[in-house]
Amino acid sequence: MRSDLGVPPWDVFHQGISEHTGWKLGTVLIVVSFFVLILWIPFRLRPGLGTLLNAVEIGLVENVMQDVIPETDLLAVRALYLVTGLVIIAAGSGLYIGAELGSGPRDGLMLGINKRFGVSVRLARTIVEITVMVIGVFLGGSIGLGTFVFAFGIGPLVQVTLRLFKMSSPKIDAAVGEALEQ
């Protein structure tokens, strides 16, 4: 957000909803998390403790960090914010999914698509990101270069972090799913 180079695709979606409700972005994020869980039903995913913590904690952190991270006009610092945020989110995804306590609502969609259709995590995540970005734009959210960097960069980075932060062998096979994508 603070990079001012374009928010991540889910935040484009959250902005669009915020425009219509007047709610803070983090609050929208929390509410959307619980609605996204409904989309898990066709994938037969089960929430865990990590799912609930992610649904609430990410929104609270977003609300707090908006007031903590300073704004800047320096393009180099803004680009650093973008890249750092992307890497932290990917590493965080790999860590908490690797802990096998339940994925967050949005990551669950990625894993559900991966499991159901046999596509790689990187492709599943990119599909989800592009979809919510387009819907968010129609709702009034704004995009920028950073939105596209995130949309096309987060999937491959999450796939790498899932390998780095090892899960049990069957979970790795299901999450990486590269056998079908060549």
Side-chain angles (χ1 to χ4, degrees):
M1 295 291 293
R2 279 289 183 240
S3 77
D4 201 29
L5 296 172
V7 298
W10 274 103
D11 284 334
V12 173
F13 182 71
H14 299 142
Q15 277 182 342
I17 292 172
S18 180
E19 293 277 327
H20 295 281
T21 63
W23 297 346
K24 286 184 79 168
L25 203 58
T27 305
V28 171
L29 195 150
I30 293 168
V31 172
V32 166
S33 293
F34 289 101
F35 280 101
V36 169
L37 289 174
I38 295 168
L39 299 175
W40 282 28
I41 294 170
F43 298 118
R44 297 190 174 133
L45 298 173
R46 292 189 178 148
L49 178 61
T51 307
L52 300 175
L53 290 174
N54 177 283
V56 175
E57 177 263 336
I58 299 295
L60 296 174
V61 168
E62 180 141 1
N63 281 344
V64 169
M65 296 310 290
Q66 285 296 308
D67 297 330
V68 173
I69 298 175
E71 293 184 47
T72 182
D73 292 330
L74 298 173
L75 183 58
V77 175
R78 291 170 39 211
L80 182 62
Y81 284 173
L82 172 66
V83 171
T84 302
L86 180 63
V87 170
I88 288 171
I89 290 169
S93 294
L95 282 168
Y96 89 86
I97 293 170
E100 299 182 24
L101 295 173
S103 67
R106 293 155 190 80
D107 285 332
L109 288 179
M110 165 190 74
L111 295 173
I113 291 169
N114 162 256
K115 182 179 175 184
R116 171 89 172 171
F117 300 107
V119 299
S120 67
V121 164
R122 69 177 171 259
L123 179 59
R125 182 67 181 254
T126 303
I127 290 167
V128 170
E129 297 291 329
I130 297 299
T131 301
V132 296
M133 179 183 71
V134 169
I135 295 168
V137 167
F138 282 111
L139 290 173
S142 60
I143 59 173
L145 176 63
T147 308
F148 291 95
V149 169
F150 192 96
F152 291 101
I154 193 65
L157 286 173
V158 168
Q159 186 158 315
V160 167
T161 63
L162 287 174
R163 284 192 188 126
L164 290 174
F165 306 114
K166 302 274 190 234
M167 296 183 284
S168 61
S169 185
K171 299 267 184 177
I172 291 173
D173 295 341
V176 175
E178 286 189 318
L180 298 176
E181 183 180 308
Q182 297 183 29

